[in-house]
Amino acid sequence: IINNKTDFPRHYLASLASWYQTTLLKNTHDVGMLQDLILKSNQPDKVTNLLNLVINDYGFEFFRTIDQTKVNLSSQDEAFFSFNRPNLQITQPVSRFDFEHSISDEVDESHLCLIEALKLASLKPNQIDKVILTGGSSQVPVFYQMITNLFGSTKIVSSDHFTAVALGLGVRAHQIYGKLL
């Protein structure tokens, strides 16, 4: 909140959606705006943290720390987000419950997409033989549970969660462009 009157500008919060968006804020206009917001904010320390994240190019490292915290929450009920760099120290416990609550809309959307895909294919979940899970998000317990609730645990096939998509893209690129090389 700024001066007890207005909300913090949403586009700055939206820039926290991915690491590269934080780098886009490293320009004279946005840095000046953040410096001004520090003076006007009810929580200048948080705005200062954002400014330090931007001007020190910590975005990529910050998101790697977020990812590691999410990985830890896949096997633990609580994890600590700990990011300690010059001019930016954040340590915060994060519970699996809070994490799962924060992604509940995305899990629900994924469920709806699966239901729609089945409908478009004129299939029912029991007509699916295997469900191959790939990507780090497929290891998030609430997502995994949604998939097993829909298809059943005996149909789940785990793959190399972190490289299977890239491998598939490489195979497809070779199919398309391999003859050109």
Side-chain angles (χ1 to χ4, degrees):
I1 304 236
I2 308 301
N3 288 337
N4 292 319
K5 295 178 185 174
T6 59
D7 289 333
F8 189 78
R10 291 189 186 276
H11 72 279
Y12 289 119
L13 298 176
S15 73
L16 295 172
S18 61
W19 73 267
Y20 66 87
Q21 289 180 356
T22 62
T23 64
L24 299 176
L25 297 178
K26 193 174 180 179
N27 62 69
T28 305
H29 173 75
D30 286 316
V31 168
M33 289 293 293
L34 289 170
Q35 289 170 333
D36 188 50
L37 288 171
I38 289 170
L39 300 174
K40 296 177 180 177
S41 175
N42 294 352
Q43 298 177 315
D45 54 326
K46 291 182 179 180
V47 182
T48 300
N49 282 344
L50 176 58
L51 179 62
N52 284 327
L53 179 82
V54 170
I55 64 175
N56 292 297
D57 292 316
Y58 290 147
F60 183 72
E61 296 174 66
F62 189 75
F63 276 84
R64 283 184 47 186
T65 304
I66 291 170
D67 282 341
Q68 186 57 55
T69 304
K70 292 188 312 186
V71 167
N72 293 344
L73 287 171
S74 291
S75 61
Q76 303 169 29
D77 289 334
E78 184 174 79
F80 280 89
F81 174 84
S82 183
F83 188 82
N84 294 299
R85 302 294 184 280
N87 301 314
L88 183 57
Q89 294 83 37
I90 301 172
T91 302
Q92 178 72 41
V94 182
S95 72
R96 182 186 292 174
F97 176 83
D98 288 340
F99 171 61
E100 289 179 349
H101 179 72
S102 74
I103 63 168
S104 63
D105 288 345
E106 287 81 4
V107 173
D108 291 344
E109 275 185 50
S110 297
H111 184 261
L112 291 173
C113 285
L114 289 168
I115 297 299
E116 181 66 16
L118 289 167
K119 180 180 171 185
L120 290 172
S122 299
L123 294 171
K124 302 231 182 287
N126 65 351
Q127 294 175 290
I128 302 297
D129 295 328
K130 299 287 179 197
V131 177
I132 300 172
L133 298 180
T134 188
S137 297
S138 68
Q139 294 183 55
V140 173
V142 69
F143 181 83
Y144 185 88
Q145 189 61 50
M146 181 269 295
I147 295 292
T148 57
N149 286 348
L150 184 59
F151 296 104
S153 61
T154 59
K155 295 180 179 183
I156 306 298
V157 176
S158 290
S159 66
D160 185 351
H161 295 283
F162 298 105
T163 60
V165 171
L167 179 62
L169 290 172
V171 168
R172 185 64 180 142
H174 180 71
Q175 289 170 342
I176 295 171
Y177 302 107
K179 296 173 183 151
L180 299 174
L181 300 175

